[in-house]
Amino acid sequence: MTNNGRLKPILDVNEKPKLALWITLSLQHLFAMFGATVLVPILTGLPASVALATSGIGTLTYIIITRGKIPAYLGSSFAFITPIIVLSTSHNVQTAMLGAFLASLVYGFVALFIAKFGVNWLLKLLPPVVVGPIIVVIGLGLSPTAVDMAMNKTVNGVKEYSLENFLVALSTLAVTIICCVAFKGFAKQIPVLLGIVFGYIIACIAGIVDFTPVIEAAWFKVPEFIIPFVTYKPEWNVAALAMVPIAIVTINEHIGHQMVLSEVVGKNFIKDPGLHRSILADGIAMMFASLLGGPPSTTYGENIGVLAITRIFSVFVLAGAAVFALALSFIGKFSALISTIPNPVMGGVSILLFGIIASSGLRMLVDEKVDLSINRNLVISSVIIVLGVGGAMLKFESINFELPAMALAAISGVLLNAFLPKEVK
């Protein structure tokens, strides 16, 4: 035990394990992040190999910028799934990457303001009564996608109900739930990965897995990066601004992660290396992802859970996980194997995962004791949820700009919180 009552870490932040142990622990940590990291590109239509590569590059960048003081792994952000799908469908994937790049700039500006003025202004701008409902919207907004993947199949370009697919999805969901509530230790922290693995086995038994891509794939293959001025000529598109408001949610999430991580590790990361530095590192990792065609990256709650259970706080282990993620992205057969995961398997996992996201928003409201009997709080949360879940959008055809529901809900919440008068119960 340490002086403050915490269990001593098995490996502290700057401790370096021996080679064999380093490989084992690094792979263990990668497995914890793997399921959610590859789920985002599968849902958004981006290459999973690129997501793995940008996840590894982003994590290494984060560790370098934070001076090796914060043990964190950066994976694909769920908050940006809907905007990426909307922009990729209504415009193209390059517009979505431009939006991610602009969102990363927000991180840079926020980091500068925090370094200059502290963090209180941001917490006032984004109180729990705003952030909680936005998180609810993110989870519920993704729920139709999860159900569609679980329940339907495409035949000749037309979606139709499939009982076989739905049974596979429900079986996958059941396994994932069992992992969440019945397992202990490290296994409890990787329900998504275990759910995908067992769901994949069930899908193989059901005969809905096509191994042709794996057989035909080369062992070594460079990920399908989408690089400006290399694979495409970047052009300004005002629609990309629609992704910028989502950054206010992920930045707030980042602050929460840093507070919890500080408590788990027993070091004040808010002060050293500083919140401004960690937010800047997160933003630069997101910028690299946008320049390579990967989904925006973010710090993961799963990462904190694994650290708390294993008490392996070494940044060398996290860096190792990043290196292995980067290496796996260049193995063609591995990337092809990921692409063969059937939709009902991912849909079954997503039903629980997206529900947990929505529930975490409700949990924030409860934990922060947001009083919904106060009309001001009730109005803010109600408007955010209905605009976001209802699919409201602000569209200006003259300039080809469309503000999707999630972004509109986030902006509305911030404005209502800023201008509605304070109310005393």
Side-chain angles (χ1 to χ4, degrees), residues 75-95:
S76 307
S77 173
F78 284 88
F80 289 93
I81 292 177
T82 300
I84 290 176
I85 294 174
V86 170
L87 290 177
S88 298
T89 303
S90 61
H91 296 80
N92 50 49
V93 70
Q94 290 85 1
T95 300

Side-chain angles (χ1 to χ4, degrees), residues 49-254:
S49 58
V50 175
L52 280 174
T54 55
S55 172
I57 293 171
T59 300
L60 293 173
T61 301
Y62 185 93
I63 291 174
I64 291 170
I65 294 176
T66 56
R67 300 173 180 174
K69 294 184 177 182
I70 303 179
Y73 186 93
L74 274 62
S76 307
S77 173
F78 284 88
F80 289 93
I81 292 177
T82 300
I84 290 176
I85 294 174
V86 170
L87 290 177
S88 298
T89 303
S90 61
H91 296 80
N92 50 49
V93 70
Q94 290 85 1
T95 300
M97 292 302 103
L98 174 59
F101 180 85
L102 296 176
S104 71
L105 296 181
V106 175
Y107 274 72
F109 287 122
V110 170
L112 290 175
F113 273 89
I114 289 178
K116 183 72 174 178
F117 304 108
V119 74
N120 287 338
W121 65 273
L122 183 61
L123 299 179
K124 289 180 180 179
L125 183 68
L126 300 171
V129 72
V130 173
V131 178
I134 292 175
I135 295 175
V136 172
V137 166
I138 291 172
L140 295 183
L142 292 170
S143 58
T145 301
V147 173
D148 177 69
M149 294 178 70
M151 197 171 61
N152 299 324
K153 68 177 180 180
T154 303
V155 180
N156 297 326
V158 179
K159 288 184 178 180
E160 60 181 42
Y161 177 81
S162 171
L163 177 60
E164 182 182 43
N165 281 16
F166 199 31
L167 290 176
V168 170
L170 292 178
S171 301
T172 303
L173 174 62
V175 171
T176 310
I177 291 173
I178 291 171
C179 294
C180 279
V181 301
F183 286 14
K184 295 181 179 180
F186 178 70
K188 189 180 181 69
Q189 296 301 314
I190 54 171
V192 175
L193 178 61
L194 293 178
I196 291 175
V197 171
F198 282 99
Y200 193 86
I201 295 172
I202 295 169
C204 288
I205 296 173
I208 60 174
V209 179
D210 181 11
F211 290 102
T212 304
V214 181
I215 297 172
E216 295 178 348
W219 279 101
F220 178 83
K221 183 181 179 182
V222 177
E224 300 172 8
F225 294 119
I226 305 172
I227 306 173
F229 300 108
V230 176
T231 60
Y232 71 96
K233 181 181 179 181
E235 295 180 359
W236 168 251
N237 193 327
V238 69
L241 292 170
M243 287 186 69
V244 172
I246 310 303
I248 67 175
V249 182
T250 52
I251 289 174
N252 190 283
E253 183 182 47
H254 176 96

Side-chain angles (χ1 to χ4, degrees), residues 250-271:
T250 52
I251 289 174
N252 190 283
E253 183 182 47
H254 176 96
I255 295 173
H257 286 165
Q258 291 303 99
M259 291 178 176
V260 176
L261 186 60
S262 296
E263 179 63 27
V264 168
V265 179
K267 300 179 186 294
N268 192 337
F269 298 128
I270 303 296
K271 290 185 177 180

